Amino acid sequence: MNYDVGVIGGGVIGLACAWRMAQAGARVAVFERGQIGREASWAAAAMVGSLWVMAHDPPDGWNTTALAAMFELCLHSRALYPAFADELLDVTGVDVELSLRGHSRRDWRTPGILYISTRGDDLTGEGLQQQAEQGLNAERKLPGTLGTTRFGEQARLRDNYAFWLPDEGQVENRKLAEALRASAVRAGVIIRQSLPVRRVVVEDNRVTQLLTTHGAETCDNVLLCAGAWSSRIHDLPPECVPPVRPVAGQLVSLEPTKQIKRMGAPLPYVTYSSDVYLVPRRDHRLVVGATVEEIGFKKRVTVQGATKLLSAACALMPELERYTIEAQWAGLRPATPDALPILGKTSLDNLFVATGHFRNGILLTPITAQLMTDYVLNGVEPLSDFGIERFAAQTTKAEQTICVSG
């Protein structure tokens, strides 16, 4: 069968794009190397917010234009989430447990994220100032002024800065993947699991075939959404291969005791520090994450990783020492050299890319699906800040520098 669009990769990005394209009338198939939604989408803590720029130093050479474009992309996607979650619920009956201010679902949790600076100077830079000018809603808190929750009373803020971000939140990523799969199938998307696309056939500047482990597939357009594996499709021209690498992350899930549950939830909102984040789920589990490990395609859980996370978590919230460890897992984030996603078309006429979302895949799912559907089906280009050609320009500049200096 020939498809209008073949999507390589069955995480939340690929599923959301496939769903939206099928809703627009396209015949779509998703080709997933493993199980649908079981890689980075499954491993995430799934915060829905733009605080990542505040919490992490940008890579060397990152310009303010890129910073502004990424922040705007995050805000736009966050604004789409309430309607996105409600639509998924209407279509599938799956509640993705969105906790976000203004959303109609009832929940014991408080929407918002408390950002705590445990290193002292990571909230005073240009990034935060620029975000404030773009409309970031952040209320500065001082030690002892975090409110009356038990967590607020026990947080060891010392002399550190804290900011309350009321417009940020979270979603349950595993239910999000489940809902997107079901929505895509209902819209007519063909899901092909355990069917990796190993290589492609390129003729007349087009991808004419996808070569899988069970034969060839033909698609008028191809959308590459394979996450950390996006650079592992053989026979693509070099300039079409996304420079994406895996960055491993370990997470731990904690379970409160029955006594703690009877006393009431000690942590009703997401808490994010320079060293660790704590994400309360609706069922009272607490997700603690996440390590950042440059170890290639090794998806492993270690004593060292758990110890690092739990030590940082207990430094913020000492009563976590009485919780039990419910689960520990790891995932592989798709990272680009500049930490920005790749959204757009390659030099091949029918090959599009939506990958490299790094730590923001869950957050950017609604906007990515919208942008790529508009581009693939209607020719509406996304912002040039996220095009794959920016890496070719960087490579050329580097080569010129070597020639001049060498």
Side-chain angles (χ1 to χ4, degrees):
M1 180 177 179
N2 183 69
Y3 301 101
D4 296 322
V5 185
V7 178
I8 303 176
V12 292
I13 297 293
L15 290 171
C17 290
W19 175 39
R20 290 306 194 201
M21 291 177 187
Q23 284 182 314
R27 293 170 298 168
V28 185
V30 173
F31 302 95
E32 165 55 41
R33 57 180 294 278
Q35 298 299 303
I36 289 293
R38 288 283 178 155
E39 290 295 346
S41 300
W42 187 260
M47 286 171 284
V48 177
S50 57
L51 63 99
W52 68 278
V53 178
M54 293 192 333
H56 304 283
D57 295 330
D60 292 339
W62 216 32
N63 59 53
T64 56
T65 300
L67 180 71
M70 184 61 180
F71 182 61
E72 191 64 32
L73 194 72
C74 291
L75 290 184
H76 193 170
S77 199
R78 189 185 70 188
L80 294 174
Y81 245 106
F84 191 72
D86 286 343
E87 186 178 359
L88 288 171
L89 179 62
D90 290 342
V91 171
T92 68
V94 177
D95 184 354
V96 299
E97 300 183 9
L98 179 66
S99 178
L100 201 64
R101 188 163 76 163
H103 192 239
S104 60
R105 303 279 159 239
R106 292 184 178 181
D107 202 318
W108 64 266
R109 299 168 298 177
T110 301
I113 295 180
L114 178 69
Y115 182 86
I116 300 172
S117 169
T118 53
R119 297 174 188 165
D121 61 353
D122 52 357
L123 286 179
T124 58
E126 182 179 351
L128 177 60
Q129 179 63 34
Q130 185 167 351
Q131 288 181 83
E133 293 173 356
Q134 288 182 263
L136 176 68
N137 189 3
E139 179 184 352
R140 182 170 175 177
K141 298 288 188 179
L142 298 175
T145 65
L146 297 178
T148 58
T149 66
R150 289 170 58 225
F151 174 73
E153 293 170 353
Q154 295 188 16
R156 295 181 176 179
L157 296 182
R158 297 180 295 274
D159 295 325
N160 301 315
Y161 296 107
F163 282 82
W164 175 243
L165 309 172
D167 297 328
E168 317 278 67
Q170 63 159 300
V171 68
E172 219 294 351
N173 50 296
R174 297 179 182 182
K175 291 189 175 182
L176 177 65
E178 176 189 350
L180 285 169
R181 181 202 60 78
S183 296
V185 170
R186 285 174 180 262
V189 175
I190 303 300
I191 303 289
R192 309 288 299 278
Q193 297 189 102
S194 301
L195 192 67
V197 175
R198 301 294 191 190
R199 51 196 342 114
V200 298
V201 176
V202 177
E203 298 175 331
D204 298 325
N205 207 50
R206 297 177 60 84
V207 175
T208 56
Q209 289 185 318
L210 305 180
L211 303 182
T212 74
T213 51
H214 291 128
E217 302 281 353
T218 58
C219 310
D220 293 338
N221 295 286
V222 177
L223 178 60
L224 179 54
C225 302
W229 288 265
S230 295
S231 64
R232 307 194 102 187
I233 309 297
H234 297 290
D235 297 335
L236 285 173
E239 71 275 9
C240 297
V241 178
V244 174
R245 72 187 190 282
V247 178
Q250 298 184 52
L251 299 94
V252 179
S253 175
L254 303 181
E255 183 78 28
T257 64
K258 291 182 180 179
Q259 181 182 10
I260 292 174
K261 288 181 180 179
R262 285 195 298 268
M263 293 172 62
L267 181 58
Y269 42 74
V270 176
T271 303
Y272 195 117
S273 81
S274 311
D275 304 308
V276 70
Y277 52 74
L278 312 174
V279 183
R281 296 300 195 207
R282 185 181 290 175
D283 61 4
H284 292 94
R285 288 180 302 116
L286 188 67
V287 177
V288 181
T291 63
V292 179
E293 304 172 60
E294 297 275 2
I295 54 175
F297 285 91
K298 296 177 182 178
K299 192 169 58 175
R300 64 189 185 188
V301 294
T302 65
V303 172
Q304 182 184 35
T307 300
K308 177 181 178 181
L309 293 173
L310 295 176
S311 296
C314 290
L316 284 180
M317 187 176 169
E319 68 184 80
L320 290 181
E321 295 176 356
R322 296 190 287 121
Y323 281 47
T324 59
I325 296 177
E326 186 261 340
Q328 183 181 359
W329 65 93
L332 300 176
R333 313 173 185 94
T336 63
D338 61 6
L340 297 177
I342 305 173
L343 306 172
K345 193 171 76 66
T346 68
S347 61
L348 296 180
D349 293 337
N350 66 338
L351 176 61
F352 300 80
V353 181
T355 189
H357 292 75
F358 194 31
R359 306 183 78 158
N360 303 287
I362 301 296
L363 165 63
L364 295 177
T365 293
I367 189 61
T368 298
Q370 177 179 302
L371 291 174
M372 297 313 299
T373 298
D374 284 344
Y375 198 6
V376 176
L377 300 185
N378 303 316
V380 180
E381 296 186 25
L383 292 175
S384 60
D385 299 86
F386 309 115
I388 193 172
E389 63 277 358
R390 72 185 189 267
F391 299 109
Q394 291 172 5
T395 301
T396 300
K397 184 177 180 180
E399 289 173 349
Q400 291 173 348
T401 300
I402 292 173
C403 291
V404 171
S405 61

